[in-house]
Amino acid sequence: MRIAAAMLIAFCVTGCKQSANTSATAENQSSAQNLNGAGATFPNPIYSKWFSEYAAAHPGIHINYQSVGSGAGIRQVSEGTVDFGASDGPMTDQQIAESKVPVIHIPTVLGAVVPVYNIPGVTGNLNFAPDVIADIYLGKITKWNDPRLAKDNPGIKFPSTAILPVYRSDGSGTTYIFTDFLSKVSPDFAKNIGKSTSVKWPVGIGQKGNEGVAGMVRQSPSSFGYVELIYALQNKMTYGAVRNASGKFVLATTDGVTAAAAGAAKTMPADYRVSITNAPGDTAYPISSFTWLLIPTHSTDAAKTQTLKDFLTWMLDHGESEASSMDYAPLPAEVQTMVRKSIADLH
């Protein structure tokens, strides 16, 4: 009897341990999650940091993000081939209607698009009037010593070399922000090129990604392009001040972007699709924008939805505080409050 009892106790202990181990394994497997996203290059530096930090704080969670441009991000999330997308240009009504997957735009941070240039013999921050930038890309201003450039930059000796405009060849939220701004300030630009993530440029050379445009301008004398601020800073590129709606030439800073967002924060639409280019205010930087994650609102995978909700909450609680150190502007408090309510509604 004693032997049988001992065997029974041993069986129970072994069985209980096996059951506990099986349960723990199942729990770990259920908490493990791979999320795949794709889209904008504009916020890629801060997204890379956030996704890495979040994964480090949540073992078993991996967020894979492909920085392939806003156009590709919109397309892939609309087709349901990624778990989330990212864009600096909001989806159009038509894109939303045609999407196989219903999505919500969740603003994450704000940033600035800046004019960059490589002019032999010219250093320092130049001033650019909006109509001058527009006419460079319309092919109306073709030389660096054009009188209109000289007028806004007294004392600068410009060369007579031809300007090489550089633009994004891929579907790009940075292009959307840039063309949205130029369409507001130049009727000719609005009529002949218009605003979109991808437009038909009449002059210049195309490059893929903010990285591509930055690289081309750096290596090409007499070139001119547009990139997100952090790419100019990371590549140690000179960038120009842009005349804002108040007539002031303003260099891009996070404070200037915050000033541009101030009005929009008070009247933010429920779907978050808003433009803040050419915003009023003496200190507002005129080529500023929110950037958005495109999150499916009705996923068939409850675990992935919960992970996305957890990440977005972490972003508000921890990520936003890192924005300024990476030359992005954090979401205004009013917008953060709205976003928390939107996160709660995801299912």
Side-chain angles (χ1 to χ4, degrees), residues 6 22 70 93 105 152 176 223 234 261 266 268 287 312 314 339:
T22 302
S70 295
D93 291 344
H105 293 63
D152 292 327
Y176 179 89
S223 58
Q234 286 179 341
K266 296 181 176 65
M268 177 67 73
I287 322 180
L312 292 170
W314 177 93
V339 169

Side-chain angles (χ1 to χ4, degrees), residues 229-245:
L229 174 61
I230 194 170
Y231 288 89
L233 296 172
Q234 286 179 341
N235 288 281
K236 297 180 171 55
M237 301 175 74
T238 305
Y239 56 96
V242 182
R243 192 178 67 206
N244 66 14

Side-chain angles (χ1 to χ4, degrees), residues 62-346:
H62 300 283
I63 304 178
N64 307 306
Y65 181 72
Q66 298 297 316
S67 175
V68 290
S70 295
I74 290 172
R75 183 176 65 255
Q76 290 185 42
V77 75
S78 297
E79 293 172 349
T81 58
V82 292
D83 300 309
F84 65 92
S87 179
D88 314 316
M91 293 173 67
T92 64
D93 291 344
Q94 182 178 349
Q95 287 173 328
I96 290 173
E98 293 176 350
S99 176
K100 298 176 183 177
V101 179
V103 299
I104 184 173
H105 293 63
I106 296 291
T108 54
V109 290
L110 300 104
V113 176
V114 297
V116 290
Y117 44 90
N118 178 351
I119 313 172
V122 176
T123 59
N125 304 110
L126 297 177
N127 293 327
F128 291 96
D131 58 299
V132 168
I133 298 175
D135 283 354
I136 288 174
Y137 279 95
L138 285 166
K140 294 182 177 182
I141 293 179
T142 60
K143 304 282 188 180
W144 277 114
N145 63 347
D146 188 279
R148 291 163 64 192
L149 274 163
K151 177 185 175 184
D152 292 327
N153 296 278
I156 300 295
K157 185 174 177 56
F158 286 100
S160 60
T161 53
I163 300 172
L164 173 65
V166 184
Y167 56 82
R168 288 284 292 274
S169 59
D170 52 334
S172 158
T174 305
T175 292
Y176 179 89
I177 299 164
F178 191 61
T179 58
D180 178 48
F181 168 65
L182 294 179
S183 292
K184 289 180 179 180
V185 298
S186 168
D188 283 348
F189 191 94
K191 177 182 178 182
N192 294 295
I193 297 180
K195 66 176 181 179
S196 181
T197 55
S198 182
V199 298
K200 186 175 182 180
W201 299 100
V203 294
I205 184 171
Q207 294 293 309
K208 187 176 181 180
N210 273 284
E211 303 92 337
V213 173
M216 177 57 72
V217 172
R218 283 191 67 188
Q219 69 186 29
S220 304
S222 295
S223 58
F224 180 81
Y226 58 94
V227 297
E228 204 282 328
L229 174 61
I230 194 170
Y231 288 89
L233 296 172
Q234 286 179 341
N235 288 281
K236 297 180 171 55
M237 301 175 74
T238 305
Y239 56 96
V242 182
R243 192 178 67 206
N244 66 14
S246 297
K248 309 287 187 182
F249 285 101
V250 182
L251 276 172
T253 63
T254 53
D255 287 344
V257 174
T258 299
K266 296 181 176 65
T267 58
M268 177 67 73
D271 64 4
Y272 302 105
R273 293 187 297 161
V274 65
S275 167
I276 59 169
T277 57
N278 208 38
D282 285 355
T283 62
Y285 181 70
I287 322 180
S288 298
S289 179
F290 287 91
T291 189
W292 298 266
L293 285 176
L294 308 175
I295 307 294
T297 57
H298 296 77
S299 174
T300 56
D301 191 324
K304 286 187 175 182
T305 297
Q306 188 58 52
T307 300
L308 282 170
K309 292 176 70 169
D310 290 344
F311 167 75
L312 292 170
T313 301
W314 177 93
M315 176 191 78
L316 295 175
D317 292 341
H318 303 281
E320 292 298 320
S321 63
E322 299 176 333
S324 296
S325 66
M326 297 191 69
D327 298 294
Y328 296 93
L331 295 179
E334 302 96 321
V335 179
Q336 290 196 38
T337 299
M338 288 180 65
V339 169
R340 288 186 190 278
K341 294 176 181 177
S342 296
I343 294 169
D345 290 338
L346 292 173

